[in-house]
């Protein structure tokens, strides 16, 4: 039997799959690592200015877009600082923007259920819809006396209530604040001007009670009485539209026509565009040719507003 001669070539064994893990490849030299690290750091340093420029561009674009996406917000410099404030001021009639507001006025007295009903049923709901389209005023009804005083229908307490409400409108011109406060008082009109009621309503509508008190008592009450007298004078001077045939009647003859009302003496009388629109009297709506509904008045205001913008 012949012996097998050894093979001239040794057998080939494939490398073990664990060889790489048991014997990892030699680490690169320190000089190679230094070169690679230096290259990476150089790339990072080169990228930093680009990132900063991009961030500045994004920030600048955001500031440029802010006023257009937030029209109610303006930025104003004050004392070297930049502050944000919400502009809520209403524009007067004939303002520089060119918008003309529609005159809307309510003639009231403070201690009156008809005032309460008119505010709750008509004035407040309408103002919620057309606040930015009307020039709204509240005027008070009374009788001017010879000693430069005012006589109110329900006595001195009503005069004081009128003055408190006038002070609220003077201190807080925003109708959203002063109308809410006045409505709060009027809901309990019999209690006007009790201190507890005024304090509660002032707290509810973020009004400074001490400021109200100071306004009403300023100059020993002369300041508040002067505001009331001017308001009553305005109501007394209002002249509702008179037919042409009546306009030709001599003033002396008008004294013999007791049913002809030439001034505003009923609370609450609502006037739109300087003409009587509707009257709330003794629990009923009267003299409302266009209707006493909220939508009726809103439509009338919208129509007048569009006409005024086109004129």
């Amino acid at each position: 039997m012949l012996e097998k001669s050894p093979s001239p070539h040794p057998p080939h064994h494939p490398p073990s799959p664990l060889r790489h893990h048991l014997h990892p490849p030699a680490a690169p030299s320190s000089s190679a690592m230094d070169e690679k690290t230096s290259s990476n750091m150089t790339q990072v340093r080169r990228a930093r200015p680009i990132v900063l420029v991009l961030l500045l561009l994004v920030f600048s674009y955001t500031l440029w877009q802010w006023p257009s996406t937030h029209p109610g917000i303006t930025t104003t410099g004050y004392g070297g600082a930049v502050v944000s404030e919400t502009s809520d001021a209403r524009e007067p009639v004939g303002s520089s923007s060119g918008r003309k507001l529609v005159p809307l006025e309510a003639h009231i007295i403070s201690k009156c259920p008809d005032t309460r009903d008119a505010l709750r049923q008509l004035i407040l709901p309408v103002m919620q819809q057309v606040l930015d389209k009307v020039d709204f005023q509240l005027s008070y009804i009374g009788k001017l006396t010879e000693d430069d005083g005012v006589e109110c229908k329900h006595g001195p307490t009503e005069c004081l209530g009128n003055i408190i409400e006038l002070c609220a409108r003077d201190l807080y011109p925003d109708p959203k604040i002063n109308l809410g406060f006045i409505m709060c008082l009027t809901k309990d009109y019999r209690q006007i001007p009790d201190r507890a009621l005024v304090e509660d309503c002032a707290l509810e509508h973020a009004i400074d009670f001490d400021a109200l008190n100071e306004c009403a008592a300023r100059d020993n009450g002369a300041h508040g009485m002067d505001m009331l007298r001017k308001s009553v004078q305005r109501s007394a001077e209002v002249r509702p539209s008179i037919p042409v045939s009546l306009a030709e009647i001599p003033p002396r003859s008008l004294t013999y026509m007791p049913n002809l009302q030439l001034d505003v003496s009923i609370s609450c009388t609502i006037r739109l565009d300087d003409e009587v629109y509707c009257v709330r009297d003794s629990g009923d709506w009267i003299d409302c040719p266009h209707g006493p509904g909220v939508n009726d008045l809103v439509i009338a205001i919208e129509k007048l507003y569009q006409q005024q913008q086109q004129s």
Side-chain angles (χ1 to χ4, degrees):
M1 184 173 178
L2 296 176
E3 295 181 359
K4 186 181 291 186
S5 60
S7 172
H9 302 287
H12 176 72
H13 298 284
S16 169
L18 299 178
R19 182 173 180 269
H20 178 73
H21 296 281
L22 295 177
H23 303 283
S29 64
S30 60
S31 60
M33 290 185 63
D34 292 341
E35 291 178 1
K36 185 175 182 180
T37 302
S38 176
S39 175
N40 291 338
M41 293 299 293
T42 301
Q43 293 177 1
V44 171
R45 284 194 296 268
R46 289 176 179 174
R48 282 178 180 172
I50 298 175
V51 173
L52 291 175
V53 170
L54 289 176
L55 288 175
L56 287 174
L57 288 175
V58 171
F59 182 70
S60 300
Y61 178 78
T62 302
L63 288 180
W64 178 67
Q65 287 290 327
W66 180 262
S68 61
T69 56
H70 299 76
I73 305 296
T74 58
T75 55
T76 305
Y78 181 77
V82 177
V83 297
S84 296
E85 57 185 11
T86 301
S87 176
D88 193 36
R90 291 171 54 236
E91 300 168 349
V93 176
S95 63
S96 58
S97 68
R99 292 198 316 124
K100 298 178 181 179
L101 303 181
V102 178
L104 177 64
E105 186 169 11
H107 300 265
I108 65 172
I109 55 179
S110 58
K111 294 175 71 71
C112 176
D114 290 315
T115 295
R116 176 200 60 195
D117 296 342
L119 289 175
R120 182 169 54 193
Q121 297 177 18
L122 191 58
I123 296 297
L124 266 66
V126 167
M127 288 294 289
Q128 290 175 351
Q129 299 186 48
V130 295
L131 174 65
D132 60 338
K133 296 179 180 178
V134 297
D135 178 21
F136 180 74
Q137 295 189 48
L138 273 180
S139 297
Y140 289 81
I141 298 171
K143 181 180 179 181
L144 299 174
T145 62
E146 295 181 356
D147 58 352
D148 292 332
V150 175
E151 180 181 325
C152 297
K153 182 176 181 179
H154 298 100
T157 57
E158 181 171 78
C159 285
L160 181 54
N162 296 346
I163 289 173
I164 291 172
E165 294 177 359
L166 283 167
C167 282
R169 286 182 56 79
D170 182 58
L171 295 171
Y172 301 89
D174 185 353
K176 294 190 295 293
I177 297 177
N178 62 59
L179 274 181
F181 171 74
I182 292 171
M183 184 68 242
C184 179
L185 295 178
T186 307
K187 285 189 297 186
D188 294 313
Y189 65 91
R190 293 184 181 89
Q191 306 302 320
I192 293 175
D194 286 0
R195 181 187 179 97
L197 173 63
V198 177
E199 284 183 330
D200 288 345
C201 290
L203 180 63
E204 181 178 338
H205 294 276
I207 285 179
D208 188 342
F209 173 81
D210 292 334
L212 278 180
N213 191 48
E214 188 278 331
C215 172
R218 190 181 306 165
D219 299 331
N220 293 323
H223 175 70
M225 181 56 66
D226 182 61
M227 287 196 299
L228 179 58
R229 185 167 51 249
K230 290 179 179 178
S231 183
V232 170
Q233 181 69 37
R234 174 176 175 80
S235 294
E237 291 177 349
V238 166
R239 292 293 182 267
S241 299
I242 302 175
V244 176
S245 58
L246 292 179
E248 297 174 353
I249 299 176
R252 184 182 305 174
S253 300
L254 294 177
T255 59
Y256 300 100
M257 304 175 68
N259 295 328
L260 182 61
Q261 194 72 47
L262 293 183
D263 60 358
V264 173
S265 60
I266 299 177
S267 175
C268 167
T269 298
I270 299 171
R271 297 194 309 127
L272 176 64
D273 198 24
D274 298 326
E275 295 184 1
V276 173
Y277 178 85
C278 203
V279 177
R280 179 76 177 184
D281 185 29
S282 301
D284 294 317
W285 290 106
I286 61 175
D287 297 335
C288 307
H290 302 286
V294 172
N295 289 337
D296 299 324
L297 183 51
V298 168
I299 291 173
I301 291 172
E302 293 280 4
K303 183 178 179 180
L304 286 170
Y305 180 79
Q306 294 300 328
Q307 291 175 352
Q308 291 192 4
Q309 308 319 305
Q310 296 171 2
S311 61

